[in-house]
């Protein structure tokens, strides 16, 4: 039985201040692309402990393997546009354990999102 899975996203950069308007626009572009291609995105306004400033965070809800594939394509495309970008994705696996994957723009390759696609794909039931 398939059901929706929440992915928590935190975008970061080594290039811009977290409140820089150019950076905020780049993160908003990621959220817009995800809404159009992958599913429902809701914004969360909570700074993370130990992080520099308030990281842009959002929750993406995916309900199918197709939506997950589209989300990963959006993640990859967004990251490769600027090598200083980082995206951290957090989800709960099929054992109820929180998993976290961080991918940097300078290290995006075919296997970068493998743990995410395998873990979330199992929870989605491989539809």
């Amino acid at each position: 039985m398939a059901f929706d899975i929440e992915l928590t996203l935190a975008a970061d950069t080594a290039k811009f201040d977290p409140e820089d308007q150019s950076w905020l626009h780049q993160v908003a572009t990621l959220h817009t692309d995800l809404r159009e291609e992958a599913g429902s995105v809701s914004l969360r306004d909570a700074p993370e402990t130990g992080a520099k400033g308030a990281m842009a965070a959002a929750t993406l809800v995916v309900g199918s393997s197709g939506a997950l594939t589209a989300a990963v394509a959006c993640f990859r495309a967004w990251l490769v546009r600027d090598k200083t970008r980082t995206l951290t994705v957090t989800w709960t696996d099929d054992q109820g354990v929180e998993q976290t994957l961080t991918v940097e723009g300078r290290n995006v390759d075919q296997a970068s999102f493998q743990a995410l696609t395998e873990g979330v794909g199992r929870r989605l039931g491989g539809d």
Side-chain angles (χ1 to χ4, degrees):
M1 181 168 103
F3 52 92
D4 292 345
I5 297 174
E6 290 186 0
L7 306 178
T8 302
L9 313 173
D12 199 11
T13 179
K15 187 175 184 179
F16 297 100
D17 181 82
E19 299 301 319
D20 185 282
Q21 288 303 305
S22 178
W23 172 244
L24 295 174
H25 176 71
Q26 292 175 41
V27 173
T29 299
L30 171 63
H31 297 163
T32 298
D33 291 348
L34 286 167
R35 274 187 201 98
E36 291 174 358
E37 300 295 328
S40 171
V41 177
S42 60
L43 301 179
R44 185 182 60 166
D45 193 18
E48 295 199 13
T49 306
K52 61 175 188 176
M55 293 176 69
T59 300
L60 170 66
V61 178
V62 294
S64 69
S65 57
L68 177 61
T69 299
V72 169
C74 287
F75 297 159
R76 290 174 56 94
W78 185 79
L79 283 165
V80 299
R81 285 187 207 123
D82 182 339
K83 303 289 187 213
T84 68
R85 294 177 180 173
T86 301
L87 185 64
T88 300
V89 183
T90 305
W91 71 97
T92 302
D93 69 15
D94 55 349
Q95 302 298 313
V97 178
E98 184 174 277
Q99 301 293 324
T100 300
L101 173 71
T102 299
V103 179
E104 298 176 352
R106 67 176 181 260
N107 292 330
V108 177
D109 62 13
Q110 244 354 69
S112 295
F113 290 99
Q114 184 172 349
L116 173 67
T117 56
E118 288 177 358
V120 174
R122 275 192 301 276
R123 286 208 48 213
L124 289 169
D127 62 340

